[in-house]
Amino acid sequence: KRSLRQTWPRRIETRMSDANSQRKERRSARAILLSPANDVLLIHFVVPRSGGEFAFWATHGGEIEDGEDDLAAAQRELREELELTVELLGPVHLSEAEFEHKGAVVLSTDVFFLGRCDRDAPRLSPFTQEERAVLRSARWWTLDEIETTKESLFPEGLSAIVRQLVK
């Protein structure tokens, strides 16, 4: 019998490679939130990068704090930034990505949970000054929209992940 870690899809996304930069490891908990129609709630981020602003859409979540487990972090992030309390199942997916954040290269491990809510339940309400600067909007996406968009969207393969979860 294989462990969960072996069965989770694993993605490595290279966003920046600067061998001289400071490198940081980060673990984040994220929620794939689905509406009753299986639309996915994504957050629009615009973050500063050394080459200019980088805009992308991603599932909701954030860094796990000291002494916090993955599930507790995902639930806290939903309460703080979306004013939402829902049951989360999982973890259902794991991905790794490398990107630039605050001038450093970050190797991020993201643990994903699955939750459901009505479309009008989440209210984007960034908790910190930094979050208010980068979280721009929230929007429900159909799986077809996710598959055909030209915008940057994370995690990669999100529509396939969701289709697997809801079948």
Side-chain angles (χ1 to χ4, degrees):
K1 191 172 187 179
R2 294 185 300 176
S3 73
L4 280 177
R5 183 163 176 82
Q6 292 170 322
T7 61
W8 284 337
R10 187 168 183 232
R11 303 254 185 222
I12 303 291
E13 304 158 7
T14 303
R15 297 288 167 232
M16 175 188 171
S17 56
D18 180 353
N20 298 321
S21 289
Q22 193 177 23
R23 189 178 189 104
K24 177 186 174 195
E25 289 190 16
R26 168 185 157 143
R27 186 172 179 94
S28 295
R30 308 199 75 76
I32 299 171
L33 289 177
L34 301 180
S35 73
N38 291 330
D39 295 337
V40 183
L41 184 68
L42 296 177
I43 309 300
H44 189 222
F45 293 83
V46 179
V47 296
R49 293 273 171 92
S50 56
E53 288 186 334
F54 177 61
F56 63 96
W57 292 87
T59 57
H60 189 75
E63 190 167 6
I64 297 169
E65 296 177 354
D66 289 339
E68 195 173 42
D69 66 31
D70 298 342
L71 178 59
Q75 291 168 327
R76 174 184 51 77
E77 289 287 340
L78 289 174
R79 281 189 313 274
E80 288 178 354
E81 296 172 11
L82 292 177
E83 300 178 9
L84 186 65
T85 301
V86 297
E87 179 182 7
L88 294 176
L89 305 175
V92 297
H93 182 70
L94 177 74
S95 95
E96 292 182 343
E98 186 175 277
F99 57 88
E100 178 189 345
H101 183 64
K102 296 182 180 177
V105 175
V106 176
L107 177 58
S108 182
T109 300
D110 293 326
V111 180
F112 292 83
F113 295 87
L114 177 66
R116 290 190 171 273
C117 66
D118 290 331
R119 291 175 67 98
D120 62 350
R123 289 179 202 75
L124 188 61
S125 177
F127 189 68
T128 67
Q129 174 85 14
E130 181 181 349
E131 291 164 351
R132 285 189 289 280
V134 299
L135 276 66
R136 300 296 168 89
S137 61
R139 173 177 171 251
W140 290 98
W141 292 64
T142 67
L143 294 179
D144 289 340
E145 289 173 322
I146 290 170
E147 290 169 351
T148 59
T149 187
K150 301 291 185 214
E151 298 191 59
S152 296
L153 195 143
F154 300 99
E156 287 185 4
L158 179 59
S159 64
I161 295 164
V162 173
R163 287 187 195 284
Q164 183 71 28
L165 293 170
V166 299
K167 71 176 187 173

